[in-house]
Amino acid sequence: MRKNSIKNTRINGEVQRELSNIIRGDIKDPRINPLTSVTAVEVAPDLKSCKAYISVLGDEESGKNTLAGLESAEGYIRTKLAKNINLRNTPQIRFILDQSIEYGVNMSKLIDEVNAQ
């Protein structure tokens, strides 16, 4: 399976949807911020590994705590993912903090300040 094939794109979307549901509803770790969202998922073509980009609404400390909580619950998340999605292999999940939304908001504020002057 190639990286940008239709099948891989479909698997990425399905894994992203299931990860969102698992993080929102099944994990009870107090370190995980309730305003956590999965912005993107990249599953490798061999289905062995997966990068999950996580966005957290809050300060930097909240993001680090959420990332630590998700990494400690990775085994549980992987088990739930295996039950919900029928794949040949359940991918090893690596969580990455995505700060692109914060960057976009910050740039928008800077543009508004320049326009106001």
Side-chain angles (χ1 to χ4, degrees):
M1 178 170 58
R2 289 178 304 182
K3 185 170 180 146
N4 293 326
S5 68
I6 294 171
K7 183 178 178 183
N8 197 353
T9 305
R10 208 173 322 139
I11 289 172
N12 289 344
E14 188 66 28
V15 170
Q16 179 179 355
R17 186 173 25 260
E18 285 301 323
L19 274 178
S20 302
N21 291 337
I22 291 168
I23 291 171
R24 185 183 55 229
D26 294 341
I27 299 178
K28 305 292 188 236
D29 194 338
R31 294 178 289 184
I32 297 175
N33 191 327
L35 298 174
T36 301
S37 61
V38 181
T39 56
V41 170
E42 293 177 6
V43 179
D46 62 353
L47 303 176
K48 298 278 185 187
S49 64
C50 167
K51 292 180 187 174
Y53 295 93
I54 305 296
S55 177
V56 179
L57 187 64
D59 58 347
E60 188 174 329
E61 185 67 29
S62 176
K64 288 181 182 178
N65 288 340
T66 299
L67 210 55
L70 288 173
E71 287 172 356
S72 70
E74 195 262 338
Y76 174 76
I77 293 170
R78 194 170 174 204
T79 303
K80 292 290 280 187
L81 195 63
K83 288 180 182 176
N84 295 339
I85 298 178
N86 186 17
L87 293 174
R88 183 181 312 125
N89 298 318
T90 304
Q92 185 77 30
I93 305 167
R94 192 174 79 187
F95 294 102
I96 300 169
L97 194 58
D98 184 16
Q99 297 176 337
S100 62
I101 296 174
E102 292 177 28
Y103 179 77
V105 169
N106 192 16
M107 291 305 285
S108 178
K109 286 180 185 176
L110 291 174
I111 291 170
D112 289 343
E113 288 176 8
V114 169
N115 286 338
Q117 294 174 354

